[in-house]
Amino acid sequence: MTHNMSSESNDGRTVRLQIPASNSDETTQLPSHKVTRQLALDKIVNKIGMGKFQKQLLMLCGLGWLSDNMWIQCVVVILPRVKVHYNVNEKFIGVLSSSMALGMMIGALFWGVLSDAYGRKKAFNFTLLFTALFGILSAFSQSFFQLCILLFLTGFSVGGNMPVDGALFLEFIPKTHQYLLTSLSVFFSFGAVLTSILAYLVLPQNSCIDSSGKTCNVEEQNNGWRYILGILGLLTFIMFICRILFFRLQESPKFLISQDHIHDAVVVLRKIAIINECHIQIKASDIQSTTINSNYTETISDDSSQFQVGFFSDPIQWFMLKFRPIEPLFSRKWIKTTILVWSIWTLVAFAYCMFNVFLPTYLEWLGLSGDEDTDGISLIREVLRDYVIYSVCGIPGSLFGSYLIETILGRKGSMALATFGTALAVFMFSTVSSRSGEVISSAMVSLLSTLNYAVIYGYTPEVFEVKLRGTACGMSSALGRIAGIIAPIVTGVLLSINICIPLYLSASLFALSGICMILLPIETRGRQA
């Protein structure tokens, strides 16, 4: 069903849009000039099509997503070695993962709001630079406390990659290729594979299985985790250089139009058309709405001036103004979608962290309990080999997700199917006793959870309108990070009671998130973002 728009005079009144019944049961009011501009821009973007510019942007945004998961999995693989190096108590080792997650949570919110207020371009360029800087510094940590602080700063920097890069990429591609946003999750999966392979090659011969010092000098022979941090920091810096030297990013036209910078948006569109070798004429009149008048211009000017409040002159007012974009997410139109999307991000992240973060530790514990005479290097190598298998199995999940979202299942059905399947796989993992059974069931968790995340990452920026997109994605990612902060600590406590309790809870949370997905009011398949 198409949108029904009523006519309007030139006195600045609004136009009423009827949202299709399949997507929403409500109506919303938008300024008519905003509607006209966005529709006109969508047509121009579709005419320019998918070309060289978008393909280059796909690769660079993909590197951002790769970096995100690369650092997440880094903490997972080095956690047992850091515990040995600093002789950290079981109750506190989860703080390492929580520090990274806390930084990612704050970073996701900060970079998301920054991209909505000041544009996608600045956030896109600086996230990787600061990630590389703090990642390399963390390799030289002299205490567990220093390592936690530096990983917090690394997480703060890398936490902006997914919300900012996802929103930026979506706003440059035509409607016919929006499914490629889900394909970015392939890069996310490769981030885990890259880290796990690197760990398999570096850690076994540069690690100690315990901190007793009887068979291994921790200070001299347990520095593999430092090498991992340093190498990943250098790789992230190379990704940053690729963004700066080999690609001149343009600011998002949709962001520029939302800020009433019509001529700047036209310049960007012309540059993209030239890069794509698309010979079309683009003029400001193609976008400029005829319903704008002086009253509207004055309103924008007055409102914009409020953002010049300084942090040190009035920090409370500054904070309220910067985070004001969150308010529309709780309007009558968006509140149901907002609550369900944020619940999904929180539940899935909590459930996934409970399984993923402690997986290498659990496999290592299983090896030690099965054979007391197991050689430390051989055990670490065997555990990391199984983790490589687990990581590799996530790659087809991303590809399969890209296919499923365009079928009759759509985004909602694909998410729900993958999530319920993940819940079942986690439960199976908790019941098997053999190593082969654990490898197979964990591989199923990797495949289905990656498929699930691929669709979630694509659905979230699709479902929210342009002016709310960066903030909504940033808040969603932030809530996922909050879950990532709490989950390791909760898992540690539950493991001291019974090793199966975290697995049962993880499976239950996955199932609950699947229910939330079914209840989502909007299906975005076939809809222009």
Side-chain angles (χ1 to χ4, degrees):
M1 182 182 298
T2 59
H3 294 298
N4 294 322
M5 293 192 289
S6 60
S7 60
E8 179 190 309
S9 63
N10 292 333
D11 58 2
R13 290 178 296 182
T14 58
V15 60
R16 194 170 186 82
L17 296 181
Q18 182 65 46
I19 305 300
S22 60
N23 290 343
S24 175
D25 56 358
E26 301 175 355
T27 60
T28 183
Q29 288 188 331
L30 297 172
S32 62
H33 65 278
K34 297 289 186 182
V35 175
T36 304
R37 291 172 178 177
Q38 291 298 336
L39 292 176
L41 177 60
D42 290 341
K43 292 180 180 179
I44 295 174
V45 171
N46 288 333
K47 286 182 179 179
I48 294 175
M50 184 74 184
K52 180 180 178 181
F53 178 87
Q54 286 81 4
K55 292 175 182 177
Q56 291 176 338
L57 185 61
L58 172 64
M59 292 299 299
L60 293 177
C61 288
L63 290 179
W65 285 43
L66 183 147
S67 176
D68 192 291
N69 203 23
M70 186 174 72
W71 285 100
I72 292 174
Q73 301 308 318
C74 173
V75 175
V76 174
V77 297
I78 70 171
L79 188 143
R81 307 285 69 82
V82 171
K83 177 182 180 298
V84 169
H85 197 94
Y86 294 117
N87 196 22
V88 183
N89 189 285
E90 293 278 359
K91 296 180 181 178
F92 302 110
I93 189 59
V95 175
L96 188 70
S97 179
S98 297
S99 298
M100 173 72 83
L102 177 61
M104 285 184 159
M105 182 270 292
I106 298 175
L109 180 60
F110 172 82
W111 295 108
V113 172
L114 181 74
S115 71
D116 279 343
Y118 300 106
R120 321 299 196 210
K121 185 175 180 178
K122 292 184 177 66
F124 181 80
N125 285 330
F126 284 112
T127 49
L128 287 185
L129 175 62
F130 288 117
T131 300
L133 173 64
F134 294 120
I136 293 173
L137 289 176
S138 65
F140 299 94
S141 302
Q142 297 302 306
S143 68
F144 182 68
F145 176 75
Q146 285 183 13
L147 181 59
C148 289
I149 294 297
L150 287 169
L151 285 182
F152 165 81
L153 294 173
T154 304
F156 172 81
S157 304
V158 79
N161 277 332
M162 298 197 70
V164 173
D165 294 9
L168 179 70
F169 179 70
L170 187 65
E171 291 170 6
F172 273 111
I173 58 176
K175 176 182 177 181
T176 54
H177 288 76
Q178 283 183 188
Y179 67 89
L180 289 175
L181 182 63
T182 303
S183 299
L184 283 174
S185 294
V186 176
F187 291 90
F188 189 77
S189 298
F190 272 112
V193 173
L194 177 61
T195 299
S196 60
I197 292 177
L198 183 63
Y200 179 76
L201 296 175
V202 174
L203 285 179
Q205 62 270 27
N206 296 289
S207 300
C208 296
I209 196 67
D210 61 61
S211 57
S212 63
K214 296 179 181 179
T215 59
C216 183
N217 187 319
V218 173
E219 291 298 326
E220 296 180 0
Q221 298 173 271
N222 192 60
N223 290 312
W225 63 271
R226 295 186 188 275
Y227 304 151
I228 296 292
L229 289 169
I231 293 171
L232 293 183
L234 290 175
L235 288 175
T236 306
F237 184 73
I238 292 173
M239 296 176 194
F240 165 73
I241 294 299
C242 289
R243 287 187 172 185
I244 298 298
L245 295 184
F246 303 117
F247 184 76
R248 295 187 62 84
L249 177 68
Q250 306 298 322
E251 184 56 84
S252 164
K254 288 194 174 183
F255 169 78
L256 292 172
I257 286 181
S258 71
Q259 302 296 309
D260 295 293
H261 298 157
I262 306 299
H263 292 283
D264 291 338
V266 170
V267 171
V268 169
L269 291 169
R270 288 173 178 171
K271 289 181 180 179
I272 297 173
I274 292 173
I275 294 173
N276 287 2
E277 297 182 356
C278 178
H279 305 290
I280 62 172
Q281 295 293 324
I282 304 173
K283 299 175 292 184
S285 58
D286 295 333
I287 300 175
Q288 184 71 50
S289 170
T290 58
T291 60
I292 300 178
N293 56 30
S294 59
N295 292 334
Y296 177 77
T297 304
E298 181 181 356
T299 301
I300 291 296
S301 176
D302 293 343
D303 182 65
S304 300
S305 65
Q306 298 177 23
F307 283 85
Q308 310 206 353
V309 174
F311 174 77
F312 294 102
S313 62
D314 193 343
I316 296 178
Q317 181 70 6
W318 182 90
F319 182 86
M320 292 177 65
L321 287 172
K322 295 305 177 186
F323 289 90
R324 189 171 59 179
I326 295 176
E327 294 180 10
L329 293 172
F330 293 95
S331 63
R332 184 171 179 265
K333 174 190 176 185
W334 291 110
I335 186 168
K336 183 177 180 180
T337 299
T338 299
I339 291 175
L340 286 173
V341 168
W342 288 359
S343 296
I344 289 168
W345 276 77
T346 304
L347 292 170
V348 170
F350 202 104
Y352 181 73
C353 286
M354 293 192 77
F355 180 86
N356 181 67
V357 171
F358 91 102
L359 180 58
T361 304
Y362 175 74
L363 292 174
E364 193 169 301
W365 172 85
L366 180 66
L368 287 172
S369 63
D371 185 359
E372 295 183 357
D373 297 325
T374 300
D375 175 67
I377 293 178
S378 299
L379 175 60
I380 295 173
R381 181 175 286 111
E382 185 178 355
V383 168
L384 292 173
R385 181 199 63 198
D386 294 343
Y387 196 75
V388 169
I389 295 173
Y390 169 79
S391 301
V392 169
C393 288
I395 296 176
S398 302
L399 298 173
F400 196 38
S402 299
Y403 166 75
L404 281 181
I405 61 173
E406 296 299 328
T407 66
I408 193 173
L409 288 173
R411 274 63 162 168
K412 291 171 53 179
S414 300
M415 278 191 290
L417 180 64
T419 307
F420 287 125
T422 306
L424 179 60
V426 172
F427 180 77
M428 290 173 57
F429 181 85
S430 68
T431 60
V432 298
S433 57
S434 65
R435 178 168 290 276
S436 60
E438 288 171 348
V439 170
I440 293 173
S441 56
S442 64
M444 291 177 60
V445 173
S446 179
L447 173 68
L448 294 171
S449 62
T450 305
L451 192 160
N452 178 28
Y453 264 121
V455 184
I456 292 174
Y457 289 144
Y459 177 86
T460 304
E462 281 184 345
V463 75
F464 291 101
E465 61 191 18
V466 175
K467 65 179 181 179
L468 304 177
R469 187 170 291 154
T471 301
C473 292
M475 279 297 298
S476 298
S477 184
L479 289 170
R481 305 308 185 189
I482 292 175
I485 297 168
I486 301 172
I489 299 173
V490 172
T491 302
V493 174
L494 296 178
L495 282 174
S496 65
I497 302 173
N498 187 291
I499 202 161
C500 288
I501 293 179
L503 297 174
Y504 295 149
L505 180 57
S506 176
S508 300
L509 293 177
F510 272 122
L512 182 58
S513 66
I515 296 174
C516 292
M517 292 168 184
I518 294 175
L519 297 176
L520 285 168
I522 301 175
E523 169 58 59
T524 60
R525 181 169 67 97
R527 195 181 75 166
Q528 178 71 49

